[in-house]
Amino acid sequence: NAGVTQTPKFRVLKTGQSMTLLCAQDMNHEYMYWYRQDPGMGLRLIHYSVGEGTTAKGEVPDGYNVSRLKKQNFLLGLESAAPSQTSVYFCASSDRRMNTEAFFGQGTRLTVV
Amino acid sequence: AQSVAQPEDQVNVAEGNPLTVKCTYSVSGNPYLFWYVQYPNRGLQFLLKYITGDNLVKGSYGFEAEFNKSQTSFHLKKPSALVSDSALYFCAVRPPYSGAGSYQLTFGKGTKLSVIP
């Protein structure tokens, strides 16, 4: 099993450009999450999804949009990138049981210049 | 809303000595608690979790954690540290189900563990 796969692994954007980060999981998990990791801030939840066709805002949703058209995929979009969105982005997925752990992808390092 | 505090940004310990990485939480009801480890340029890996039952939980790589409800703590421990344990450690909490927000897994800011040879 590949687990959780994120694409791309690295990206440099210019301010104002747009891009989409793709997360794919092969574990048939119901729940999927997008986090950003910044030094000294830990992981902060951007958006999450509890099932195909559903999404919800997390702690820091501004400037991001998400879609979950297929159960195995969770897309994170930046419509107009800003330097403040320079970060490492992690996707995670988990089973619908509340007591199960989440599985993480390898991360996407995004730099906005 | 739930929250997690990891009071130490960095913990240094000599190889072979016991280690403790501290975590306290705030959540309504009985929480689900997790520890994850992150090695450089890698994603987070699950170490262990507390769901219910025995307050001492054993996990991967010889790590264990002690749940203390009265102190709302879930400290990570290992009897004898290895240099290879050097990494970033995250504590996380998920509340018992009470609606849509229960799905959120909330992380602490992380503690960098350095094991000195």
Side-chain angles (χ1 to χ4, degrees), chain A residues 2-63:
Chain A
V4 179
T5 303
Q6 292 182 230
T7 309
K9 290 184 171 51
F10 302 94
R11 185 72 185 269
V12 178
L13 283 180
K14 293 182 178 179
T15 297
Q17 285 185 320
S18 63
M19 76 164 295
T20 300
L21 281 65
L22 172 63
C23 176
Q25 53 96 2
D26 61 3
M27 296 172 282
N28 200 36
H29 283 165
E30 292 289 338
Y31 304 158
M32 296 187 74
Y33 313 83
W34 276 108
Y35 289 90
R36 59 177 289 173
Q37 183 180 24
D38 302 291
M41 302 294 290
L43 276 79
R44 293 180 293 170
L45 183 65
I46 305 171
H47 286 278
Y48 64 99
S49 168
V50 300
E52 183 178 319
T54 70
T55 63
K57 295 180 179 179
E59 180 185 356
V60 288
D62 293 343

Side-chain angles (χ1 to χ4, degrees), chain B residues 32-107:
Chain B
Y32 302 119
L33 295 158
F34 305 83
W35 274 103
Y36 288 82
V37 60
Q38 184 182 32
Y39 298 102
N41 300 313
R42 303 293 298 274
L44 276 70
Q45 297 178 29
F46 168 74
L47 274 180
L48 52 79
K49 65 183 176 184
Y50 173 80
I51 304 302
T52 186
D54 194 348
N55 289 344
L56 186 62
V57 179
K58 295 187 183 298
S60 306
Y61 313 121
F63 283 94
E64 57 191 27
E66 186 169 11
F67 172 66
N68 187 317
K69 188 173 183 178
S70 63
Q71 296 185 3
T72 62
S73 66
F74 189 54
H75 300 331
L76 181 70
K77 299 181 180 183
K78 188 174 183 181
S80 178
L82 300 173
V83 172
S84 57
D85 293 330
S86 298
L88 190 56
Y89 290 81
F90 290 97
C91 181
V93 65
R94 177 183 278 152
Y97 181 75
S98 60
S102 305
Y103 302 111
Q104 296 190 26
L105 187 60
T106 300
F107 286 83

